[in-house]
Amino acid sequence: MSSKWKKNRRAKFIMIESYVVKSPVWPELTANDKAVYLEIKWRYDGNNNGKIGLGAREAAAAIGKSSKDTGKRALDHLAQLGLIAKVKASGFSMKSRETAEWRLTEYVCNVTGELPTKDFMRWSKEASEKTTVRPQGHTVRPQGQWDLKREAANA
């Protein structure tokens, strides 16, 4: 533990508010998503919202034995559901190789001063299903376009 917590004789803990657990998003989270969410909450100290650094490899380490793609998937899913928001992007192609910085949407952003958005409270399963494209393939047969042009030419 850091010396900060030893001086105050307080143990660090993670508090998850009841409205987060009762939100429509919580049942949609997988075990990996919850592990990454807890890791982000663990890194939040009350003054660093918007500066919480967590990369895909660190997220995978929080999950356990998994690949960085699993960690990235969990971070993307949490962002899609509105529990977290990316403040600063990262990547190996960028000049400065710094980790991505996140903010929890349930708290005030300490970087911009933005009020809590709590996007996860407005999420609904029906709305998310309507915006996704079903994997049914092409709607028109490849030769169907040519048939329409032939009919138009013959008419």
Side-chain angles (χ1 to χ4, degrees):
M1 269 189 188
S2 70
S3 60
K4 175 184 170 183
W5 299 108
K6 288 180 182 178
K7 285 180 189 176
N8 295 338
R9 302 279 185 225
R10 294 183 358 218
K12 188 173 179 180
F13 67 95
I14 301 173
M15 182 173 73
I16 301 175
E17 288 83 1
S18 62
Y19 69 89
V20 175
V21 176
K22 292 180 181 180
S23 70
V25 167
W26 194 259
E28 298 297 319
L29 296 177
T30 63
N32 292 344
D33 297 339
K34 290 177 184 178
V36 172
Y37 177 72
L38 289 176
E39 179 66 26
I40 292 174
K41 290 277 281 193
W42 180 256
R43 293 175 181 222
Y44 173 65
D45 65 3
N47 294 321
N48 67 340
N49 198 18
K51 295 180 185 177
I52 303 171
L54 184 69
R57 293 175 195 269
E58 294 170 318
I63 293 170
K65 295 181 181 178
S66 61
S67 69
K68 65 178 174 51
D69 294 331
T70 305
K72 182 182 180 329
R73 230 177 292 126
L75 286 169
D76 290 343
H77 193 233
L78 287 171
Q80 179 187 6
L81 295 175
L83 283 165
I84 61 174
K86 188 180 280 191
V87 175
K88 188 176 100 176
S90 69
F92 283 111
S93 62
M94 299 176 73
K95 211 130 174 72
S96 62
R97 295 191 177 176
E98 297 175 357
T99 186
E101 292 183 352
W102 301 89
R103 74 175 179 89
L104 294 161
T105 59
E106 60 196 88
Y107 301 120
V108 175
C109 182
N110 297 114
V111 175
T112 62
E114 182 182 355
L115 294 174
T117 56
K118 298 181 184 176
D119 295 331
F120 58 92
M121 295 300 287
R122 290 184 291 278
W123 182 86
S124 68
K125 191 170 188 173
E126 295 82 23
S128 67
E129 288 175 353
K130 289 179 184 176
T131 58
T132 58
V133 178
R134 292 184 180 155
Q136 294 176 347
H138 297 287
T139 56
V140 179
R141 296 184 321 229
Q143 66 271 29
Q145 295 174 349
W146 297 108
D147 294 340
L148 292 175
K149 288 182 181 177
R150 287 184 198 147
E151 289 177 12
N154 293 337

